[in-house]
Amino acid sequence: MALNDGKRPKVLLLGAIEHAHSAWTAVCEIADILTPTATNRADFVQEAASGAFDGCLAAYRTFGSFEVTGRVDSELLDALPRSLLFICHNGAGYDQVDVQACTAHDIRVSNTPTAVDDATADIGIFLLLGALRNLAVGMAALRAGEWRGSTLPALGHDPQGKVLGILGMGGIGRNMAKKALAFGMTIRYYNRRRLEPGVEKELGAEHVGFDELLAESDVLSLNLPLNQNTRHIISRREFAKMKKGAVIVNTARGAVIDEAALVEALDSGQVSSAGLDVYEQEPYVHPGLLSNPRVLLVPHMGTWTVETETKMEEWAISNVRMAIEEGRLRSVVPEQRGN
Ligand SMILES: O=C(O)C(=O)CO
């Protein structure tokens, strides 16, 4: 593919490079970097439409750049230059990008799979243990100067011997299975595509139907991407099918759960506790979750470690580099594979 007709390529930087400075410096040596001056979507669309980013071949974007550009959708892509062929997203979940619209605009999209697996599964295990053990109750009482509180927190439960149901068995789900196995949990999972028998055996994971997963799990962990098929995949009907007193863990995206239905299920005792890292409308958190001491809440910190954030940036930058040097992406998103 003739990428730049011998001219220095241009890269649009949406968001900041915080950690992988040497990898980014290497990109700056082979490309000119353009950054928007806009601070909101309307201004960004205008800036793009005015030709400020003309000639850009690739864009590097962060989760936080959503605050400036909003969703990467048809309207945004129409304003961006036709030269833009690659969008390199820093993150495993790419629900902020309308991949169908990108495909229609002949733009390839990449994400950062595997780089996030350990850190996200680690926080998943933290939330699982914390929710099982009612840690949020004791932690809140202690900070309020009441030691364990005026009424003792209810006794928690051990993970040993409990069934962990994993909904979505990609890299994070598999990583979580491996870790939960060490806590003596029985692993069941539901995934559209069943794992190879050897992988199932290694993880000690049994594939079951969706309804079976709901009915048999003591803890249900959400580890699937957010898209039009998975939005509110767990709602009233699904909570009603679960074991009374089940525990919910969500490190995926808030909107895979109907948050209002989760609040109801917690209030009725159908769900005994929850450990959440993600919310339907971040940074807004449903007041019914904030006020419920049986919910352990973390503000989307699943990958919030120096090592993992660095790995993610390096991965996303390697996609930019490959786009410039080879006219292709290292980790194109599944929807565009084979296109
Ligand atoms: O990689 C992602 O999708 C994240 O949500 C990072 O926390």
Side-chain angles (χ1 to χ4, degrees):
M1 186 190 297
L3 288 173
N4 52 25
D5 307 325
K7 283 192 237 133
R8 229 172 117 78
K10 290 182 188 169
V11 171
L12 177 59
L13 175 61
L14 301 173
I17 307 293
E18 307 276 5
H19 306 281
H21 298 296
S22 60
W24 186 248
T25 301
V27 168
C28 298
E29 281 164 10
I30 57 169
D32 291 335
I33 311 301
L34 305 187
T35 49
T37 56
T39 55
N40 60 62
R41 179 174 170 102
D43 291 350
F44 181 83
V45 167
Q46 207 171 30
E47 191 176 1
S50 76
F53 313 131
D54 281 4
C56 277
L57 169 74
Y60 171 102
R61 82 176 293 280
T62 64
F63 192 78
S65 70
F66 185 85
E67 279 177 30
V68 173
T69 68
R71 189 165 158 75
V72 178
D73 57 11
S74 280
E75 183 198 30
L76 203 79
L77 296 171
D78 283 344
L80 286 164
R82 306 289 304 169
S83 58
L84 187 71
L85 299 180
F86 305 100
I87 293 182
C88 306
H89 171 68
N90 177 12
Y94 49 92
D95 44 289
Q96 293 177 339
V97 179
D98 181 342
V99 174
Q100 233 181 332
C102 288
T103 306
H105 282 77
D106 277 329
I107 293 172
R108 301 281 152 243
V109 180
S110 61
N111 66 337
T112 62
T114 75
V116 305
D117 292 355
D118 262 319
T120 310
D122 288 351
I123 210 92
I125 294 290
F126 166 83
L127 292 169
L128 180 154
L129 294 175
L132 274 172
R133 297 287 293 267
N134 283 323
L135 291 187
V137 179
M139 287 157 84
L142 177 73
R143 283 205 187 273
E146 298 169 356
W147 187 230
R148 288 178 182 156
S150 48
T151 46
L152 284 176
L155 283 177
H157 292 281
D158 295 322
Q160 287 79 12
K162 303 295 185 304
V163 173
L164 170 62
I166 299 181
L167 185 54
M169 205 54 147
I172 299 168
R174 293 199 298 275
N175 196 305
M176 183 114 178
K178 230 184 265 177
K179 286 169 176 156
L181 208 56
F183 285 94
M185 300 190 83
T186 299
I187 314 297
R188 306 249 156 86
Y189 77 98
Y190 175 74
N191 198 50
R192 266 184 317 152
R193 244 181 323 134
R194 194 171 165 174
L195 299 177
E196 296 293 322
V199 180
E200 276 188 0
K201 196 164 165 212
E202 185 195 330
L203 297 174
E206 184 189 347
H207 184 260
V208 294
F210 180 55
D211 283 354
E212 224 176 320
L213 190 82
L214 298 175
E216 293 179 0
S217 300
D218 296 300
V219 179
L220 181 72
S221 174
L222 286 304
N223 295 105
L224 73 180
L226 173 64
N227 56 45
Q228 60 195 18
N229 301 318
T230 63
R231 180 173 296 276
H232 287 192
I233 193 166
I234 301 297
S235 187
R236 286 180 184 82
R237 171 196 166 276
E238 289 72 31
F239 285 122
K241 291 193 168 201
M242 286 180 200
K243 270 188 188 174
K244 176 116 183 131
V247 170
I248 302 292
V249 172
N250 190 6
T251 59
R253 284 290 181 266
V256 297
I257 300 182
D258 175 347
E259 231 165 48
L262 173 60
V263 168
E264 285 170 25
L266 281 158
D267 287 346
S268 72
Q270 178 64 11
V271 167
S272 64
S273 60
L276 306 176
D277 184 44
V278 287
Y279 308 90
E280 253 196 273
Q281 291 177 312
E282 294 175 14
Y284 171 83
V285 181
H286 193 297
L289 297 175
L290 286 173
S291 63
N292 191 325
R294 287 180 289 115
V295 188
L296 181 56
L297 301 162
V298 174
H300 202 148
M301 294 175 79
T303 57
W304 208 246
T305 70
V306 172
E307 295 82 358
T308 296
E309 291 288 321
T310 304
K311 258 192 291 183
M312 290 166 70
E313 284 189 357
E314 284 171 350
W315 188 300
I317 292 168
S318 74
N319 270 297
V320 173
R321 228 195 138 91
M322 199 177 259
I324 294 169
E325 293 180 335
E326 300 177 35
R328 65 193 179 96
L329 294 171
R330 174 183 175 193
S331 51
V332 72
V333 295
E335 295 91 324
Q336 293 184 329
R337 278 185 210 148
N339 286 357

